[in-house]
Every structure is written in C-alpha cells, then in structure tokens.
Amino acid sequence: MSTQNGVRKRTASPVEPKDVKVAKVDIVEDDEKPVWSLRKAQEEQPSRHCPFLGTIDRGVLDFDFEKLCSVSLSHVNVYACMICGKYFQGRGTSTHAYTHALDVDHRVFLNLSTLKFYCLPENYEIVDPSLDDIQYVLKPTYSPEYIKKIDKNTQMSIAFDNTKYYPGIVGLNNIKANDYANVVFHALSQVTPLRNYFLREANYAEIHLGN
C-alpha cells in the first residue's frame, strides 16, 4: 500500500527489504479461522533495521546491580530494558519482558547472558554496530597489549551520563551497603600482577568452583 495526497493506493507487488527477516509463526486452522500456534517464532532472525534504536536511553543503564528479574526475582534468562534500565525475565508471550514491552511500549531488550539484543513483542534479534558500546560496558574485554599500558593511560573516558573519569579509578555502586567491599577491590586493583590476571578472563575461564 502507498499513500499519495491522503489517498491509499495498492502497489502491484510489495517488496520486502532483503536483509530484514521476520520470525516465522505457525498458523493452525481451527474451524477455518487462523489461530496462532503455541510454538511461537523463537527462531532468532537477525535484523539490521530496527526502528526503535532511537528510544534507547544509555543514561539509565546500570549493569552493576544483581542480574535478576525485577518482578519474579529470578536469575534465569534475564533481559535488561534499554529504555528504562529495569530487568525482566524471558521474552516469550507469557514472560515479564514481553508484558513490559506491551504495557509501556519499551521495545529494545538485552539478554544479560548472551549479550544479544531483541525487539519485543516482535521478537527478532537486533544486529547493529551502534550497540557495541553497551555490550562492552556489560562485559568489557582487555587485550594483552592494552593491559600492558593501562598504567600509562592518562586519557579520560566519558560515561553514559557524560561524566568523565579515569578508567580503573571510578568506584563501584554502593549496592546494599557494599562500600566496605569497594575499598577492598580498590586496594587489590593496585596490585598490578593480581589486577592483570583478573582482567584477562581467559586466565580463569577453565576454573570451576565446587559446591
């Protein structure tokens, strides 16, 4: 359909964008009426064209908090809303994230485990390089070259709220009276060999703590 001078006109053959894929949904015929199948389109169909990326508010994003759903208090399959910063579980039709998307029209969510972005309730994966900075803040990575020169870095960085800070100097959020732990972490971060060891996740990725 196209609109010209306020009048809708039907085009001969509508064309879908080549790199936009919509999740497939099974339809079951019941008394000649189409019914949505319970097996929803959970197939992850990446899209590079999400119209809601402009609604993301980086100023409210804070990944220091415990990663659990603000409704169910579950740690399983938790997503962060990129518009209000709250955490919700799941993305299926009966989940808290899906309900949140419908209730307040917040459409962009980040899986806190897989670092993948999704648009709800349409339920497709969003692939866009403009989101790389958010993924980095959630799970930063450091190359050996960067670690070697980290103590010589005098360039300030800018946080999502536009405040400037020196990497490694900014304190942690005071969550449930954890200020004493913050002091310990800051002290240990000045022990260069210990700090460098933990900055490289590959150093301890194979270590599994027993129950």
Side-chain angles (χ1 to χ4, degrees):
M1 300 287 289
S2 62
T3 303
Q4 185 175 358
N5 298 328
V7 180
R8 291 186 175 182
K9 296 182 178 180
R10 184 177 299 275
T11 57
S13 56
V15 179
E16 294 291 339
K18 294 182 179 180
D19 55 351
V20 177
K21 297 181 179 179
V22 180
K24 298 178 181 178
V25 180
D26 290 341
I27 295 181
V28 178
E29 298 295 333
D30 182 13
D31 296 331
E32 298 182 353
K33 294 181 180 180
V35 179
W36 293 115
S37 169
L38 291 178
R39 188 169 71 84
K40 232 180 126 337
Q42 293 293 348
E43 305 172 14
E44 299 178 359
Q45 301 288 352
S47 172
R48 296 184 181 275
H49 295 274
C50 178
F52 306 106
L53 294 184
T55 64
I56 295 176
D57 185 358
R58 286 169 167 78
V60 302
L61 303 181
D62 192 337
F63 300 126
D64 286 347
F65 293 102
E66 187 176 3
K67 296 174 177 56
L68 78 166
C69 176
S70 58
V71 180
S72 66
L73 303 182
S74 171
H75 294 84
V76 180
N77 201 23
V78 178
Y79 291 76
C81 174
M82 296 290 97
I83 289 79
C84 66
K86 295 181 180 179
Y87 296 168
F88 299 96
Q89 185 179 24
R91 73 173 197 272
T93 54
S94 59
T95 61
H96 299 298
Y98 186 92
T99 302
H100 178 72
L102 293 176
D103 286 347
V104 296
D105 199 29
H106 290 178
R107 313 295 285 273
V108 184
F109 292 80
L110 170 63
N111 186 299
L112 297 178
S113 297
T114 65
L115 275 67
K116 292 183 178 181
F117 291 88
Y118 293 90
C119 180
L120 296 179
E122 291 82 359
N123 197 17
Y124 61 81
E125 182 185 351
I126 304 170
V127 179
D128 194 288
S130 67
L131 303 173
D132 291 349
D133 61 325
I134 299 177
Q135 293 175 323
Y136 182 81
V137 171
L138 175 57
K139 189 175 182 180
T141 56
Y142 306 92
S143 65
E145 293 74 18
Y146 178 85
I147 294 176
K148 289 179 181 178
K149 61 181 181 181
I150 192 172
D151 291 323
K152 300 178 182 179
N153 181 31
T154 58
Q155 184 177 0
M156 299 188 73
S157 297
I158 301 177
F160 284 155
D161 59 0
N162 292 324
T163 58
K164 295 182 179 181
Y165 67 96
Y166 287 105
I169 304 300
V170 62
L172 301 176
N173 286 342
N174 188 9
I175 306 171
K176 297 181 180 178
N178 67 336
D179 48 342
Y180 296 103
N182 287 350
V183 173
V184 175
F185 293 147
H186 266 278
L188 293 177
S189 68
Q190 301 305 310
V191 182
T192 303
L194 182 64
R195 179 203 62 194
N196 292 353
Y197 176 84
F198 283 104
L199 284 179
R200 287 284 293 168
E201 187 177 350
N203 292 333
Y204 52 88
E206 301 299 326
I207 298 178
H208 299 284
L209 299 178
N211 295 329

